[in-house]
Amino acid sequence: MTTQHRAAVLGSPITHSLSPVLHRAAYAELGLDDWSYGRFELDEEALPGFVAELDGTWAGLSLTMPLKRAVIPLLDEISDTAASVEAVNTVVIGEDGGRTGDNTDIPGMIAALRERGVEKAESAAVLGAGATASSALAALARICAGPVTAYVRSEARAAEMRGWGERLGVDVRTAPWERAAEAFEAPLVIATTPAGTTDALAAAVPARAGTLFDVLYDPWPTALAAAWSEHGGKVVGGLDLLVHQAVLQVELMTGAAEAPLAAMRAAGEAALAAR
């Protein structure tokens, strides 16, 4: 009898998650016929009960908001990468039932940039100050040689970003959101804000644009990403991030030496086109 292996994405809301599409495409390409990947609508209150009931068929979990921090007390250990931003988006369940938390968003960002030829940056700018922004700072800690300016809406958010900078070893400077167009002077701009937030900034894209990493993928392109491309700038999108972090998740959960990036991206693109 073939041993079943289960994995799933957890969060709320979860209906529109592309994770099942990406992981199932990987299983198909890798010939992992005994693997399945589902999705579960869960909030922080329901998470402990769900995790407690996981049996030996489970190999891993993908976590989206609002569970990335809530899951940490339920784990046996977490990686240094996850600990650096106090956020776990991946749980690997060992054969002994041990639960290890990791964060593939950070190396996923680095891999997405590297794929587009961005290995290093002399300086950078971050639009926003949420959970994704802290992951962006952690990624920039590895590739950015100079200061990072974060454009935020409140002094509380500014203080939070400076705190993350101190913790991650990044020279973070902050500026009010009203000056966000100044971000475009940086060679690398990472937009981490919700849909529609940066639309008004599209008209301010300079004639000589650098690289924009916009973490959104639906709708795509965003007004900012479209304007950036029109000005000849390099654009990295949210689907790039989603696919690269999922590639790392598949490798961690299944033990595969190399997850099928191209097949996973094609499946993601097809799913988005069908929406």
Side-chain angles (χ1 to χ4, degrees), residues 161-209:
M161 289 295 279
R162 290 193 295 269
W164 280 116
E166 291 177 13
R167 178 170 179 167
L168 295 164
V170 181
D171 178 11
V172 174
R173 303 163 186 189
T174 55
W177 184 258
E178 291 74 21
R179 291 169 48 194
E182 296 175 12
F184 302 159
E185 298 170 11
L188 172 60
V189 179
I190 304 181
T192 69
T193 52
T197 307
T198 61
D199 288 359
L201 297 172
V205 176
R208 294 178 63 85

Side-chain angles (χ1 to χ4, degrees), residues 82-185:
S84 73
V85 289
E86 296 178 359
V88 166
N89 80 325
T90 308
V91 176
V92 178
I93 302 168
E95 291 183 4
D96 61 354
R99 300 187 290 260
T100 301
D102 207 339
N103 186 308
T104 64
D105 286 331
I106 295 165
M109 283 185 174
I110 295 170
L113 285 165
R114 184 183 299 122
E115 185 182 31
R116 301 303 173 88
V118 180
E119 300 270 358
K120 296 289 182 181
E122 291 303 312
S123 63
V126 174
L127 301 177
T132 306
S134 62
S135 291
L137 288 181
L140 289 169
R142 305 183 188 185
I143 66 169
C144 185
V148 176
T149 304
Y151 294 83
V152 299
R153 292 194 181 278
S154 70
E155 179 50 40
R157 289 291 201 178
E160 193 174 270
M161 289 295 279
R162 290 193 295 269
W164 280 116
E166 291 177 13
R167 178 170 179 167
L168 295 164
V170 181
D171 178 11
V172 174
R173 303 163 186 189
T174 55
W177 184 258
E178 291 74 21
R179 291 169 48 194
E182 296 175 12
F184 302 159
E185 298 170 11

Side-chain angles (χ1 to χ4, degrees), residues 38-102:
R39 76 176 101 214
F40 293 87
E41 179 85 19
L42 291 175
D43 59 14
E44 300 100 320
E45 186 176 348
L47 181 63
F50 184 92
V51 171
E53 293 178 3
L54 297 175
D55 62 23
T57 65
W58 284 88
L61 302 171
S62 305
L63 298 158
T64 186
M65 298 306 291
L67 305 179
K68 293 185 179 184
R69 291 200 170 112
V71 76
I72 293 176
L74 309 176
L75 303 176
D76 297 301
E77 60 179 321
I78 65 172
S79 69
D80 291 341
T81 301
S84 73
V85 289
E86 296 178 359
V88 166
N89 80 325
T90 308
V91 176
V92 178
I93 302 168
E95 291 183 4
D96 61 354
R99 300 187 290 260
T100 301
D102 207 339

Side-chain angles (χ1 to χ4, degrees), residues 237-263:
L239 183 61
D240 297 312
L241 169 59
L242 196 65
V243 170
H244 276 283
Q245 66 82 28
V247 160
L248 296 169
Q249 286 187 334
V250 169
E251 292 170 355
L252 286 169
M253 293 178 190
T254 69
E258 186 175 351
L261 173 67

Side-chain angles (χ1 to χ4, degrees), residues 20-44:
V21 171
L22 302 181
H23 284 251
R24 290 168 187 169
Y27 298 164
E29 191 76 10
L30 292 168
L32 300 176
D33 300 330
D34 55 340
W35 282 71
S36 65
Y37 191 99
R39 76 176 101 214
F40 293 87
E41 179 85 19
L42 291 175
D43 59 14
E44 300 100 320

